């Protein structure tokens, strides 16, 4: 188990390094931040030179990258060009707003998805099964921004039950949470159904039924544990994409979270803030994948000792 964890940690560190490198070079090669802060044609050259010198943009890009890596290793993630304060502080100020909708979303879509998927599998090929799967297909094929706009049009504009955007009351959380939960629950439902159907067709299920084991006991003690691996996989992916998945919804509903901050920071070429957000998203994906790998070892002991299993 120690070797298993160490190998996953090493892979995680390599992934984070690739993310940091990608974010650094893409942001600097995609455009000059000067154009977002100054009218370059009408700005005195000494002002432009002072700006470049202040933010280290007057040095070759490889020198900038080396200094950035050294700073990151020392815990310095740079300063925001727009707010002239630590970029990490800017991002952390927005994190509670994002978690306020993503945490309930994760719980809601997991519960709905598992309930729908398991129910569909237990009633395979029935009208109920086809109805659930049709709704699931519709849920994850409709783009998130389209679903968000449709929900806002119905419940905020037409019915006037909910606010269309903002952050001042719990009611403002409803539409963002529902929008994200519908798409996520649809994906989980399909994975859960497929995993359940596959396990329900295994010989040990038929044997248990032939022995007279109650159906509820078979499902809870035998089917669900064996169907857990693919379900845990998709759950880990959704856990890691909590922050990144909020970009579109936060923009549509004017929610002041990290997703909306990412859009505005990319637009204004606020390099340090974008790098911190991408690093945060990457770290969450890496940690969720690590958690999933560890859960694999708990769910299926064969994954902890593949050599012994082969021998």
């Amino acid at each position: 188990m120690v070797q298993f964890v160490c190998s996953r940690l090493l892979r995680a560190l390599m992934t984070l390094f690739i993310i940091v490198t990608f974010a650094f070079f893409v942001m600097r090669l995609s455009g000059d931040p000067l154009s977002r802060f100054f009218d370059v044609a009408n700005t005195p050259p000494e002002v432009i030179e002072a700006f470049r010198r202040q933010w280290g943009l007057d040095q070759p890009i490889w020198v900038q990258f080396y200094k950035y890596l050294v700073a990151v290793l020392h815990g310095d993630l740079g300063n925001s060009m727009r707010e002239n304060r630590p970029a990490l502080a800017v991002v952390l100020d927005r994190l509670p707003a994002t978690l306020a909708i993503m945490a309930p979303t994760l719980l809601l879509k997991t519960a709905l998805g598992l309930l729908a998927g398991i129910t569909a599998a237990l009633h395979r090929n029935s009208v109920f099964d086809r109805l659930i799967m049709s709704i699931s297909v519709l849920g994850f094929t409709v783009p998130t921004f389209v679903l968000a706009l449709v929900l806002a049009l119905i419940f905020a504009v037409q019915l006037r039950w909910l606010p269309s955007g903002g952050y001042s009351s719990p009611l403002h959380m409803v539409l963002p949470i529902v929008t994200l939960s519908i798409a996520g629950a649809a994906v989980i439902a399909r994975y859960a159904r497929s995993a359940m159907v596959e396990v329900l067709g295994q010989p040990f299920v038929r044997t248990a039924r032939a022995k007279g084991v109650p159906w509820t006991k078979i499902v809870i003690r035998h089917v669900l544990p064996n169907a857990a691996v693919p379900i845990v996989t998709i759950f880990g992916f959704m856990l890691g994409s909590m922050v990144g998945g909020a970009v579109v919804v936060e923009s549509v509903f004017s929610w002041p979270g990290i997703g909306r901050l990412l859009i505005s920071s990319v637009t204004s070429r606020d390099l340090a803030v974008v790098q911190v957000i991408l690093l945060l998203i990457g770290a969450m994906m890496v940690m969720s994948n690590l958690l999933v790998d560890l859960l694999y070892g708990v769910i299926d002991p064969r994954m902890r000792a593949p050599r012994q299993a082969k021998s």
Side-chain angles (χ1 to χ4, degrees), residues 53-122:
R53 189 164 51 250
Q54 178 184 357
W55 299 104
L57 301 175
D58 59 330
Q59 300 172 338
I61 190 170
W62 295 107
V63 176
Q64 295 181 42
F65 181 60
Y66 170 76
K67 290 185 175 181
Y68 175 69
L69 287 181
V70 172
V72 169
L73 292 176
H74 287 83
D76 181 9
L77 298 179
N79 291 335
S80 168
M81 290 182 178
R82 289 191 302 176
E83 302 188 23
N84 197 25
R85 64 190 182 105
L88 182 59
V90 175
V91 174
L92 292 180
D93 285 346
R94 300 289 191 98
L95 184 59
T98 295
L99 293 180
I101 62 171
M102 295 312 296
T105 295
L106 187 64
L107 295 176
L108 181 60
K109 68 184 178 183
T110 301
L112 292 177
L114 289 177
L115 179 62
I118 293 172
T119 303
L122 295 178

Side-chain angles (χ1 to χ4, degrees), residues 227-259:
V229 171
I231 298 175
V232 167
T233 302
I234 191 63
F235 178 80
F237 173 78
M238 290 185 173
L239 179 64
S241 60
M242 283 178 60
V243 175
V247 173
V248 174
V249 170
E250 288 185 358
S251 298
V252 172
F253 294 110
S254 301
W255 190 262
I258 292 180

Side-chain angles (χ1 to χ4, degrees), residues 76-304:
D76 181 9
L77 298 179
N79 291 335
S80 168
M81 290 182 178
R82 289 191 302 176
E83 302 188 23
N84 197 25
R85 64 190 182 105
L88 182 59
V90 175
V91 174
L92 292 180
D93 285 346
R94 300 289 191 98
L95 184 59
T98 295
L99 293 180
I101 62 171
M102 295 312 296
T105 295
L106 187 64
L107 295 176
L108 181 60
K109 68 184 178 183
T110 301
L112 292 177
L114 289 177
L115 179 62
I118 293 172
T119 303
L122 295 178
H123 298 83
R124 184 183 180 187
N125 296 328
S126 67
V127 175
F128 198 59
D129 176 27
R130 294 189 181 94
L131 177 62
I132 292 178
M133 288 300 99
S134 298
I135 296 174
S136 298
V137 170
L138 182 64
F140 74 82
T141 53
V142 175
T144 305
F145 73 92
V146 174
L147 180 59
L149 292 174
V150 170
L151 292 178
L153 179 63
I154 295 174
F155 294 101
V157 178
Q158 298 294 332
L159 299 177
R160 299 184 182 276
W161 290 353
L162 297 168
S164 60
Y167 183 61
S168 58
S169 72
L171 288 177
H172 290 85
M173 301 170 59
V174 175
L175 286 179
I177 291 175
V178 171
T179 301
L180 292 170
S181 296
I182 289 176
V187 175
I188 293 176
R190 291 187 63 82
Y191 271 85
R193 179 190 180 277
S194 299
M196 288 285 293
V197 168
E198 182 178 355
V199 176
L200 286 170
Q202 296 298 317
F204 70 84
V205 175
R206 294 194 295 269
T207 301
R209 298 194 68 176
K211 289 181 178 180
V213 179
W215 179 239
T216 303
K217 186 176 181 180
I218 293 175
V219 173
I220 295 176
R221 298 190 59 181
H222 300 286
V223 178
L224 287 177
N226 284 279
V229 171
I231 298 175
V232 167
T233 302
I234 191 63
F235 178 80
F237 173 78
M238 290 185 173
L239 179 64
S241 60
M242 283 178 60
V243 175
V247 173
V248 174
V249 170
E250 288 185 358
S251 298
V252 172
F253 294 110
S254 301
W255 190 262
I258 292 180
R260 192 176 176 196
L261 175 64
L262 177 61
I263 297 297
S264 62
S265 298
V266 169
T267 304
S268 63
R269 295 283 188 265
D270 198 346
L271 304 180
V273 173
V274 175
Q275 289 166 182
V276 170
I277 295 176
L278 294 181
L279 189 59
L280 175 62
I281 295 174
M284 290 188 67
M285 291 295 296
V286 167
M287 294 305 298
S288 64
N289 288 334
L290 179 60
L291 178 62
V292 168
D293 287 339
L294 295 177
L295 287 176
Y296 283 165
V298 175
I299 295 172
D300 189 351
R302 294 173 298 178
M303 296 185 179
R304 295 200 299 263

Side-chain angles (χ1 to χ4, degrees), residues 4-77:
F4 176 81
V5 173
C6 290
S7 64
R8 294 302 188 274
L9 285 175
L10 179 60
R11 188 182 303 175
L13 291 175
M14 293 176 61
T15 303
L16 287 177
F17 174 77
I18 293 174
I19 292 172
V20 168
T21 304
F22 176 81
F24 182 90
F25 284 103
V26 167
M27 284 304 301
R28 279 156 179 78
L29 296 176
S30 61
D32 193 344
L34 278 171
S35 60
R36 299 297 179 179
F37 293 92
F38 300 102
D39 181 2
V40 179
N42 299 316
T43 302
E46 56 271 17
V47 175
I48 294 178
E49 292 177 6
F51 180 86
R52 290 186 179 278
R53 189 164 51 250
Q54 178 184 357
W55 299 104
L57 301 175
D58 59 330
Q59 300 172 338
I61 190 170
W62 295 107
V63 176
Q64 295 181 42
F65 181 60
Y66 170 76
K67 290 185 175 181
Y68 175 69
L69 287 181
V70 172
V72 169
L73 292 176
H74 287 83
D76 181 9
L77 298 179

